[in-house]
Amino acid sequence: MEIYIDITKNIINQFDHYFNFTKTGNGLRPNPAIIESEVKYIEFPGELEFHHFGRAPFKVPITMTSVNPADTKWFIIHINLSKIKQEKKVGDQVIHFQRYLPIGILLYGPDLKIVTQIPPNIESEVATIRFSDTFLSSYFEDWQNIIDREKV
């Protein structure tokens, strides 16, 4: 299954397009033919979203391409909570995104394209925080001095 995620747009709406979510009392349930999991989703004021994709194996192989344009105002913090690494391709470089190492948290900044391969029957669990520079400006006066958009 090929998934394309535009980081400048609401993540849950895009995943709903691919996974056909059903609302539950605690969150969203994807099509069980693809993955048996639950997604918890919270949208905060000031353009901040939190998503927790619960622990479960995908039943089909997934290729996910996440893109953030150079002129974006959006950032994503992606946290691997599973017990296995995820292999991601950034440009020509392959990285292993692991839980118990410093690279278990990724910041998706401007001008970024990441391709993730998720094989079937491999347990996955991730949390994602999507926020904008508007959110940063609301809470941090000098965030531009902390986050270098050219090096993220």
Side-chain angles (χ1 to χ4, degrees):
M1 170 182 250
E2 297 276 334
I3 297 173
Y4 179 87
I5 300 297
D6 179 348
I7 292 172
T8 66
K9 297 185 173 121
N10 179 285
I11 301 294
I12 287 299
N13 292 341
Q14 292 177 78
F15 276 118
D16 186 25
H17 171 75
Y18 296 103
F19 297 140
N20 192 23
F21 288 136
T22 302
K23 286 189 178 191
T24 68
N26 296 326
L28 304 167
R29 184 163 308 279
N31 179 340
I34 300 169
I35 184 172
E36 295 217 20
S37 179
E38 187 161 277
V39 178
K40 294 185 177 153
Y41 168 65
I42 303 168
E43 190 170 338
F44 294 92
E47 298 186 320
L48 177 100
E49 300 167 13
F50 173 81
H51 318 94
H52 176 239
F53 297 86
R55 188 175 1 159
F58 282 92
K59 295 183 176 181
V60 298
I62 302 286
T63 299
M64 184 173 352
T65 303
S66 303
V67 177
N68 206 5
D71 62 347
T72 189
K73 71 174 197 168
W74 293 96
F75 296 89
I76 283 185
I77 296 172
H78 193 61
I79 306 163
N80 185 3
L81 299 171
S82 61
K83 294 179 181 174
I84 57 109
K85 65 185 176 187
Q86 283 187 352
E87 188 172 288
K88 295 183 177 284
K89 188 173 182 185
V90 183
D92 293 333
Q93 184 178 4
V94 173
I95 62 170
H96 293 124
F97 176 45
Q98 295 172 299
R99 177 179 182 181
Y100 296 109
L101 296 176
I103 60 170
I105 298 175
L106 295 177
L107 177 63
Y108 290 38
D111 198 20
L112 185 70
K113 177 180 176 183
I114 293 182
V115 179
T116 305
Q117 300 286 337
I118 305 172
N121 304 315
I122 299 292
E123 192 172 272
S124 177
E125 181 179 6
V126 298
T128 301
I129 302 165
R130 179 177 171 263
F131 59 97
S132 74
D133 56 14
T134 302
F135 172 80
L136 292 172
S137 295
S138 297
Y139 294 96
F140 306 101
E141 276 184 26
D142 62 344
W143 72 267
Q144 294 92 341
N145 294 325
I146 298 167
I147 299 176
D148 184 346
R149 293 175 56 89
E150 302 302 318
K151 292 184 180 178
V152 170

